[in-house]
Amino acid sequence: MLSISKLLKKTGHQIFLNILTVLGVSICWSLFIVPAVFLLPITWAIAYLMIIFLPATTAVYAVIQHVLEGKKYKLGMFLKSFAYFFKRAFLLGLIYSLAVIIPLSEWWYYLNINNSYFIFIFAVFQTYLCLTFLATQVYAIPLLVLKDVKAIKAMNQSIKEFMGHTWYTIGLFVQILCITLLISFTIIGFFLLFIGMLSIFVLNATKNLELGKKEKRVAEEKRIEQTV
């Protein structure tokens, strides 16, 4: 099983080899996201992102996984993937949106209406719980794409992987946050590269878990053979 640093090195190599695909899917994804960022009022933008963001992101993962398998990109694959995964990704998007909106609304309430110490502690606690929940869902979209399962099953499996590889997943989640923050400082880089790069990294991290399981099975079989 590869470490996070080796995963980053592997991801960088794959990004270089598939840079045109990374650019293409990132631009397709950005075309869906741009209206919420630059055109729509804040309330409409939030509603729009709740509907569109996860399906568009899942479509990127599907295309990237197709290319990483050594298959050629076909015209219209992004839109086909968007339609194919829409219902399941939309359900994930609604659930994850709640995990973001709940702490944000609590901090808004604390800053604008009631800045008591109790509300502050409650806001910190809510933020911690929601971030922990989101950390358990790091593998949900990759599993949705890799195994083509239902949304709830992907969520449950992601939680199981989190429980079985807690520190590995926390490290991965921190890396995701760091990559997001760093690339967000360059608007052009965010819209042209971010989601394509991130999808390769998270897909590699998810498949790395399977590699770890295979290594454990092989080690266990060798141990049994030695004891027989």
Side-chain angles (χ1 to χ4, degrees):
M1 185 171 175
L2 300 176
S3 64
I4 296 294
S5 59
K6 289 182 178 179
L7 276 177
L8 287 169
K9 184 178 179 180
K10 178 181 178 181
T11 298
H13 179 66
Q14 291 178 325
I15 290 171
F16 177 77
L17 292 178
N18 301 285
I19 188 63
L20 293 179
T21 303
V22 170
L23 283 168
V25 294
S26 297
I27 291 171
C28 290
W29 179 81
S30 298
L31 292 175
F32 280 86
I33 305 303
V34 161
V37 179
F38 297 108
L39 301 177
L40 297 175
I42 184 65
T43 52
W44 284 103
I46 292 172
Y48 176 81
L49 287 176
M50 288 176 66
I51 298 170
I52 293 296
F53 186 82
L54 258 293
T57 302
T58 305
V60 172
Y61 276 75
V63 174
I64 289 295
Q65 173 57 22
H66 181 85
V67 173
L68 290 180
E69 289 176 347
K71 302 174 183 177
K72 291 184 179 181
Y73 174 79
K74 297 179 181 179
L75 188 64
M77 184 179 292
F78 180 88
L79 293 177
K80 289 179 181 178
S81 299
F82 179 87
Y84 181 76
F85 289 105
F86 180 82
K87 290 182 180 179
R88 288 173 285 175
F90 173 67
L91 177 59
L92 290 178
L94 288 179
I95 296 171
Y96 298 162
S97 295
L98 290 175
V100 175
I101 290 173
I102 288 173
L104 287 179
S105 62
E106 188 64 32
W107 283 109
W108 177 87
Y109 181 78
Y110 168 74
L111 294 172
N112 294 279
I113 297 177
N114 185 346
N115 57 355
S116 66
Y117 186 71
F118 173 77
I119 297 298
F120 173 77
I121 295 297
F122 190 65
V124 171
F125 182 67
Q126 271 194 341
T127 303
Y128 168 77
L129 288 179
C130 290
L131 283 175
T132 302
F133 169 72
L134 291 175
T136 67
Q137 295 303 302
V138 166
Y139 310 110
I141 296 177
L143 289 170
L144 196 67
V145 171
L146 292 170
K147 298 189 176 182
D148 198 13
V149 295
K150 294 182 179 179
I152 299 301
K153 187 173 182 179
M155 291 179 65
N156 289 336
Q157 184 62 37
S158 184
I159 292 172
K160 290 178 182 178
E161 297 294 355
F162 173 83
M163 298 300 293
H165 307 84
T166 303
W167 290 111
Y168 171 84
T169 307
I170 290 174
L172 175 62
F173 187 66
V174 171
Q175 287 291 336
I176 291 171
L177 292 178
C178 291
I179 292 170
T180 303
L181 288 174
L182 287 173
I183 205 165
S184 295
F185 287 113
T186 59
I187 301 298
I188 295 176
F190 181 83
F191 287 111
L192 291 183
L193 294 171
F194 168 70
I195 197 63
M197 294 169 57
L198 185 67
S199 61
I200 293 178
F201 179 51
V202 180
L203 282 167
N204 283 335
T206 305
K207 288 184 280 188
N208 193 38
L209 297 178
E210 286 296 321
L211 177 62
K213 292 176 184 177
K214 289 180 180 178
E215 290 175 349
K216 285 183 179 179
R217 284 197 296 266
V218 171
E220 183 66 20
E221 289 173 359
K222 288 183 178 179
R223 187 185 66 79
I224 293 173
E225 289 176 358
Q226 291 173 353
T227 56
V228 173

